[in-house]
Amino acid sequence: MMNIKPSAAIRKNYNEISELCKQSGEPVYLTKNGEGDLVVMDIKAFARRESMLRLRENLIAAEEDRLSGKKGYSVDEVSKMMKDAVKEVLDGQRK
């Protein structure tokens, strides 16, 4: 479900919007004069998204390297990289 609020709501109902972000884990879209203006979200959800984006970027870069013939990684190296990535995502959820 997409949460959309007028920009004035952030001034009048900061605590309500903050709680909505925390409970839903989803961003709240703020509009100004009926047009999209800002997006606000819980810091934990933001950190989780950033971690997932970094993981995806790393996976894409590794696949591009593989396709271009660059040196690959051993099973042990990949296993360690995946464990590190999962740990980073989980640590981002706990913050």
Side-chain angles (χ1 to χ4, degrees):
M1 178 175 124
M2 187 179 288
N3 295 308
I4 302 173
K5 304 280 185 189
S7 61
I10 196 80
R11 289 187 300 271
K12 295 177 184 174
N13 303 314
Y14 176 87
N15 291 334
E16 176 186 321
I17 291 176
S18 174
E19 192 59 32
L20 177 61
C21 289
K22 289 174 183 170
Q23 286 181 357
S24 70
E26 296 294 324
V28 173
Y29 299 87
L30 301 176
T31 61
K32 185 173 183 179
N33 299 322
E35 298 288 327
D37 187 42
L38 296 172
V39 176
V40 295
M41 64 190 315
D42 176 61
I43 194 73
K44 289 180 184 178
F46 178 77
R48 213 172 24 254
R49 276 185 192 221
E50 290 296 303
S51 293
M52 291 302 297
L53 286 173
R54 278 193 300 280
L55 175 59
R56 287 181 182 148
E57 289 170 359
N58 290 338
L59 291 172
I60 289 169
E63 180 63 6
E64 288 172 349
D65 286 350
R66 185 189 69 79
L67 292 172
S68 69
K70 291 187 178 176
K71 175 196 169 291
Y73 297 95
S74 72
V75 172
D76 289 338
E77 289 171 320
V78 171
S79 178
K80 182 184 180 329
M81 286 187 283
M82 292 303 293
K83 286 177 184 174
D84 290 346
V86 168
K87 182 180 181 318
E88 180 182 340
V89 170
L90 292 176
D91 287 347
Q93 289 177 351
R94 292 184 190 122
K95 291 182 180 177

